[in-house]
Amino acid sequence: MWNLENKTAVVTGGTKGIGRATVLELLALGAKIIFSARNASEVAKFESELKKNGHQAFGIVSDVSTRKGREAIVSEVQKRFTQLDILVNNAGINIRKKAHDYSEEEYQKIISINQTAPFLLSRDLFSFLKASENASIINVASVAATLDVGTGSPYAMSKAALVMQTKNLAVEWAKDGIRVNAVSPWFTKTPLTDGLLQQKERMEPVLDHTPLARVAEASEMANVIAFLAMDKSSYVTGQNVIVDGGVGLSAL
Ligand SMILES: NC(=O)c1ccc[n+]([C@@H]2O[C@H](COP(=O)([O-])OP(=O)(O)OC[C@H]3O[C@@H](n4cnc5c(N)ncnc54)[C@H](OP(=O)(O)O)[C@@H]3O)[C@@H](O)[C@H]2O)c1
């Protein structure tokens, strides 16, 4: 069916941008959701808005780059659900610099949130995903995983590793009834890119090279994530779905 009724989901980084749009889309399709982020007041505010609208959404304050943060998500899943059908590893950050300007701490921060956390959280939630017998993990990667788009090396490296993580886990966990796919956005209107999208001189060449000649809305990423979460995509696994307005098609 084209819905997510009776499905349970976890969305990391669910208060803003692509994560928030994903929470709204999955709820609209009938899923029950646990979403996480670090900012407690934003988590509480979004949860209360969703509850007011009659949704089954549970917010949790959690930094996915810490063991404590991931344990908090696992405990919440244990408390609310008996199995987990959908895991969206969406939380991600970037610090945009020239390679020689990164401190070791900045490098480690990007890698730990974007690359290590999706692996460890998938591992920590494996038994709940396996219990579903029909689960779907969606990792939010980036066009930067496959092309140099000026994001800075650590971000591109972290997203490339996430795509390879997607392929490996798809093969390893197929027998456990878990599909694993990635979605790779191009420029999308979110708080993460807000400053950048205001820079006309930076954005003009981007739009010139994007066949659809615009940046994406967060909901356009959420729609693809929702499809991969659904049983309608039951034969799709190990794929990196590039949602880029066509930018990767031409070198000119
Ligand atoms: N926007 C784009 O153009 C674009 C393009 C390609 C890929 N992406 C990828 O898409 C994903 C979402 O990006 P976005 O643009 O929607 O970002 P965003 O607007 O900055 O939102 C990020 C969300 O993740 C949360 N978050 C950040 N670090 C976290 C952590 N350590 N633990 C838990 N939650 C955390 C944030 O809340 P708190 O700060 O409260 O934790 C927020 O809810 C990222 O993986 C990003 O790399 C985005």
Side-chain angles (χ1 to χ4, degrees):
M1 298 298 283
W2 291 98
N3 65 53
L4 293 170
E5 269 155 33
N6 302 316
K7 298 270 192 192
T8 56
V10 165
V11 179
T12 68
T15 53
K16 295 184 207 135
I18 294 169
R20 186 185 183 95
T22 300
V23 168
L24 292 171
E25 187 62 30
L26 301 191
L27 286 170
L29 289 162
K32 293 179 205 142
I33 296 198
I34 293 168
F35 67 90
S36 77
R38 294 166 300 181
N39 184 306
S41 62
E42 288 177 4
V43 168
K45 187 164 173 268
F46 192 33
E47 185 187 64
S48 102
E49 271 171 47
L50 294 170
K51 288 217 161 110
K52 251 184 240 155
N53 291 329
H55 290 303
Q56 293 207 56
F58 310 98
I60 173 155
V61 179
S62 150
D63 179 343
V64 287
S65 67
T66 66
R67 182 180 297 173
K68 191 169 160 236
R70 292 186 298 272
E71 280 171 358
I73 295 176
V74 175
S75 308
E76 193 72 7
V77 169
Q78 208 154 19
K79 184 169 139 196
R80 305 273 178 202
F81 309 147
T82 51
Q83 64 185 53
L84 183 64
D85 304 308
I86 301 158
L87 168 61
V88 184
N89 283 310
N90 163 75
I93 59 147
N94 194 15
I95 303 163
R96 215 174 264 264
K97 286 187 169 182
K98 294 288 173 209
H100 55 267
D101 289 334
Y102 282 98
S103 68
E104 190 172 335
E105 289 70 30
E106 288 168 334
Y107 170 82
Q108 295 294 358
K109 187 173 180 189
I110 295 169
I111 299 295
S112 75
I113 298 177
N114 294 4
Q115 173 186 333
T116 310
F119 178 76
L120 294 178
L121 190 61
S122 302
R123 179 201 68 174
D124 294 347
L125 290 170
F126 172 74
S127 60
F128 295 97
L129 291 158
K130 189 175 173 182
S132 156
E133 297 179 354
N134 190 17
S136 175
I137 298 176
I138 299 108
N139 293 320
V140 181
S142 170
V143 166
T146 42
L147 290 174
D148 176 358
V149 290
T151 54
S153 297
Y155 181 84
M157 291 158 66
S158 71
K159 295 299 188 177
L162 184 58
V163 169
M164 202 57 207
Q165 187 186 125
T166 300
K167 295 179 187 186
N168 273 258
L169 294 186
V171 172
E172 190 175 327
W173 289 352
K175 66 176 183 334
D176 300 302
I178 304 170
R179 295 183 296 112
V180 190
N181 290 289
V183 168
S184 278
W186 182 227
F187 278 99
T188 306
K189 284 185 216 161
T190 70
L192 181 74
T193 51
D194 201 28
L196 209 59
L197 298 185
Q198 309 297 333
Q199 296 170 28
K200 204 164 170 272
E201 66 294 349
R202 176 81 171 83
M203 289 316 292
E204 255 173 19
V206 168
L207 298 180
D208 283 350
H209 285 90
T210 305
L212 290 183
R214 62 177 178 85
V215 297
E217 299 293 332
S219 61
E220 293 177 293
M221 300 304 148
N223 295 341
V224 179
I225 292 168
F227 170 66
L228 292 170
M230 270 182 214
D231 295 340
K232 285 288 178 189
S233 60
S234 51
Y235 204 58
V236 184
T237 197
Q239 301 307 302
N240 175 26
V241 182
I242 297 174
V243 190
D244 70 350
V247 79
L249 297 173
S250 166
L252 297 175

